[in-house]
């Protein structure tokens, strides 16, 4: 009985943190839209500027508990895979924002639950219940209602967003595997370090250097703290408490939040149908997470 109560508490905490992180991460597109830097440079500085904050979190966690992990080939593989997948996810998604709206780009990137389920079943022997598939289907209906009424289909930008979703799925699965062995702070710090390392040469080639203005420095520092440290930190902690496929479903709140922020800050259309879509997504998440 006590064990079941602990599991229920962990589930509640995990889903709550994922929801808050998703709502915060939905605003990421705003930072990218108003930034004057190249897409790869924005992605690099999001990871690079977050490292000191994530390091402090890791040190704080290790005051009371030190991870004792065997860095075998499998663990190293998931560390590198997580960092590279997240780098490619951000890089491609940032480029998608050049060609499509915040809501559309976020919608396409958050088709990741489909790939999480596919990759999890094929490569990691996950067992997925039919009820979860049904909840996922209704969640996508809700997300489509949120995004499509007010937006034209912008094929190239939306295709980039869909490509980003594949790498986002790889990132989620890698984070889940690593948080089974490491504390969330250390997991996110190490993965973000690999991400920054991978994006460094890409940024130098694309942007012809790493120079940014003082105003860009402040903007991208705020972006790194808000999106990578706080929002992604909450999501990483939530993933450590919840299964990978359920985590990815909860993260479908990102396009709902992105549509709201786009309406509020960028004057992108938001209609009653989109509000209904948002409620459907919430209902689907509740149904999937209910014991």
């Amino acid at each position: 009985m006590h064990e079941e109560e602990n599991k229920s508490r962990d589930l509640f905490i995990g889903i709550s943190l994922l929801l808050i992180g998703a709502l915060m991460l939905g605003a990421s597109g705003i930072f990218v839209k108003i930034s004057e830097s190249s897409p790869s440079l924005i992605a690099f500085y999001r990871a690079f500027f977050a490292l000191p904050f994530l390091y402090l979190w890791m040190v704080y966690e290790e005051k009371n508990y030190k991870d004792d992990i065997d860095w075998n080939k499998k663990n190293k593989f998931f560390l590198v895979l997580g960092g590279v997948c997240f780098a490619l996810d951000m890089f491609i998604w940032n480029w998608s924002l050049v060609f499509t709206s915040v809501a559309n780009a976020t919608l396409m990137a958050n088709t990741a639950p489909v790939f999480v389920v596919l990759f999890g079943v094929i490569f990691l022997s996950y067992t997925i219940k039919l009820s979860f598939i049904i909840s996922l289907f209704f969640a996508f209906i809700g997300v489509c209602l949120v995004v499509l009424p007010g937006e034209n289909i912008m094929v190239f930008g939306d295709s980039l967003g869909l490509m980003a979703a594949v790498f986002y799925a790889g990132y989620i699965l890698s984070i889940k595997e690593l948080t089974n062995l490491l504390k969330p702070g250390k997991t996110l710090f190490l993965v973000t370090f690999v991400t920054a390392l991978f994006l460094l040469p890409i940024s130098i080639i694309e942007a012809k250097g790493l120079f940014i203005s003082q105003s860009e420095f402040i903007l991208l520092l705020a972006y790194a703290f808000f999106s990578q440290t706080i929002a992604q930190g909450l999501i990483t902690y939530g993933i450590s408490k919840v299964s990978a496929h359920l985590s990815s479903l909860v993260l479908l709140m990102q396009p709902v939040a992105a549509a709201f922020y786009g309406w509020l800050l960028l004057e992108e259309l938001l209609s009653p149908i989109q509000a209904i879509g948002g409620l459907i997504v919430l209902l689907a998440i509740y149904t999937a997470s209910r014991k």
Side-chain angles (χ1 to χ4, degrees), residues 49 212-223:
F49 285 158
I212 53 175
S213 65
Q214 185 177 355
S215 59
E216 275 292 287
F217 173 83
I218 295 170
L219 175 68
L220 295 180
L221 182 65
Y223 179 39

Side-chain angles (χ1 to χ4, degrees), residues 28 146 172-173 200 260:
S28 291
V146 168
I172 290 173
L173 289 167
L200 179 59
F260 174 76

Side-chain angles (χ1 to χ4, degrees), residues 32 35-42 45 206 211-213 216 220:
V32 178
S35 173
E36 297 174 354
S37 299
S38 70
S40 62
L41 206 57
I42 295 169
Y45 278 120
E206 184 198 301
F211 176 78
I212 53 175
S213 65
E216 275 292 287
L220 295 180

Side-chain angles (χ1 to χ4, degrees), residues 41 63 81 83 89 91 109 122 135 153 245 254 268 271 285:
L41 206 57
K63 277 184 177 179
L81 180 68
D89 165 53
F91 172 66
I122 295 171
S135 296
I153 299 298
H245 54 280
Q254 285 182 63
E268 294 178 357
S271 68
I285 291 170

Side-chain angles (χ1 to χ4, degrees), residues 9-86:
R9 187 178 69 248
D10 284 349
L11 183 69
F12 176 77
I13 292 171
I15 290 175
S16 298
L17 294 178
L18 284 164
L19 277 173
I20 296 168
L23 291 172
M24 292 179 68
L25 212 55
S28 291
I30 307 297
F31 287 98
V32 178
K33 280 283 191 183
I34 63 178
S35 173
E36 297 174 354
S37 299
S38 70
S40 62
L41 206 57
I42 295 169
F44 168 72
Y45 278 120
R46 169 175 165 173
F48 181 70
F49 285 158
L51 287 175
F53 302 115
L54 295 174
Y55 179 77
L56 291 175
W57 180 20
M58 180 180 71
V59 170
Y60 175 76
E61 274 186 340
E62 291 190 336
K63 277 184 177 179
N64 301 318
Y65 176 85
K66 279 194 177 291
D67 295 304
D68 184 20
I69 179 174
D70 175 22
W71 283 107
N72 54 34
K73 287 183 180 179
K74 178 185 174 184
N75 297 332
K76 289 177 181 176
F77 169 76
F78 279 114
L79 174 60
V80 174
L81 180 68
V84 171
C85 281
F86 192 53

Side-chain angles (χ1 to χ4, degrees), residues 107-117 140 165-166 168-169 172 248 252:
L107 165 64
M108 293 302 166
N110 281 276
T111 55
V114 175
F115 299 108
V116 168
V117 169
F140 271 120
V166 175
Y168 194 41
I172 290 173
S248 63
L252 280 175

Side-chain angles (χ1 to χ4, degrees), residues 77-192:
F77 169 76
F78 279 114
L79 174 60
V80 174
L81 180 68
V84 171
C85 281
F86 192 53
L88 291 172
D89 165 53
M90 283 199 295
F91 172 66
I92 295 169
W93 183 70
N94 286 356
W95 267 109
S96 74
L97 287 169
V98 176
F99 300 101
T100 189
S101 70
V102 171
N104 267 31
T106 309
L107 165 64
M108 293 302 166
N110 281 276
T111 55
V114 175
F115 299 108
V116 168
V117 169
L118 286 176
F119 297 160
V121 170
I122 295 171
F123 298 113
L124 298 172
S125 303
Y126 284 4
T127 302
I128 311 295
K129 292 182 179 179
L130 178 62
S131 59
F132 176 84
I133 303 296
I134 294 170
S135 296
L136 180 59
F137 173 74
F138 279 105
F140 271 120
I141 290 176
V143 168
C144 289
L145 288 176
V146 168
V147 175
L148 297 182
E151 304 296 341
N152 295 318
I153 299 298
M154 305 169 204
V155 177
F156 182 64
D158 293 352
S159 298
L160 287 177
L162 190 61
M163 195 184 305
V166 175
F167 293 109
Y168 194 41
Y171 168 74
I172 290 173
L173 289 167
S174 299
I175 286 288
K176 182 59 185 175
E177 289 295 315
L178 290 170
T179 52
N180 289 335
L181 305 166
L182 297 170
K183 300 291 278 184
K186 190 168 188 176
T187 298
L188 190 56
F189 173 79
L190 292 175
V191 170
T192 303

